[in-house]
């Protein structure tokens, strides 16, 4: 048994950097491919946002943009700020650190929205040789990125948030 999680920050950084590396191909490769009458066409996340926006579905485009770009980037940024503030002993208000940690824990549940949508589409829409949706390389990389960033947040020993912080 350990009083603290050993090498917490090192594990956090390893998982976080790995998650960021997976985000790159997740945004460059197709998230989903549709096959219509044997002709397969893949779409990246950005292409999907553009298609929905051009067809007038601004709400759907906004949700996809938020879930696919804003939330993952913000999550990585918050985890990095927490790790840096602990590692370099920044005088960050303890309530702010705690709120940032709670935010990362909360948002982790919603990070898999894109992957769930792809899984639902591939499972529900399969009409034989007429129409099928297939998960792309981007979906696998996005899922791996989400898993890695979730593991980075879990690797953080939350007691480190309170170490070295003056009582206000």
């Amino acid at each position: 048994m350990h009083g603290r999680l050993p090498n917490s920050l090192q594990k956090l950084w390893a998982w976080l950097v790995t998650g960021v590396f997976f985000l790159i191909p997740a945004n460059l490769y197709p998230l989903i491919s549709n096959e219509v009458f044997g002709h397969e066409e893949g779409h990246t996340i950005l292409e999907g946002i553009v298609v929905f926006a051009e067809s007038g579905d601004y709400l759907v485009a906004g949700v996809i943009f938020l879930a696919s770009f804003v939330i993952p980037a913000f999550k990585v940024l918050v985890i990095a700020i927490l790790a840096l503030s602990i590692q370099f002993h920044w005088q960050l208000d303890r309530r702010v650190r705690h709120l940032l940690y709670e935010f990362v824990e909360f948002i982790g549940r919603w990070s898999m929205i894109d992957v769930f949508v792809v899984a639902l589409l591939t499972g529900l829409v399969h009409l034989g040789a007429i129409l099928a949706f297939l998960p792309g390389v981007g979906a696998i990389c996005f899922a791996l990125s989400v898993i890695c960033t979730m593991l980075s947040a879990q690797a953080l020993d939350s007691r480190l948030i309170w170490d070295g912080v003056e009582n206000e």
Side-chain angles (χ1 to χ4, degrees), residues 66-114:
L66 188 70
S68 302
F69 289 109
V70 176
I71 290 175
F74 194 67
K75 184 178 176 184
V76 166
L77 180 68
V78 169
I79 294 170
I81 287 171
L82 271 174
L84 289 170
S85 72
I86 291 167
Q87 192 168 354
F88 294 111
H89 307 290
W90 292 350
Q91 293 301 316
L92 196 58
D93 186 354
R94 66 181 179 206
R95 291 177 297 261
V96 172
R97 277 189 188 174
H98 180 70
L99 285 173
L100 291 174
Y101 180 74
E102 290 296 322
F103 172 78
V104 167
E105 288 294 315
F106 172 76
I107 207 70
R109 298 174 225 167
W110 299 99
S111 300
M112 292 289 274
I113 289 175
D114 294 0

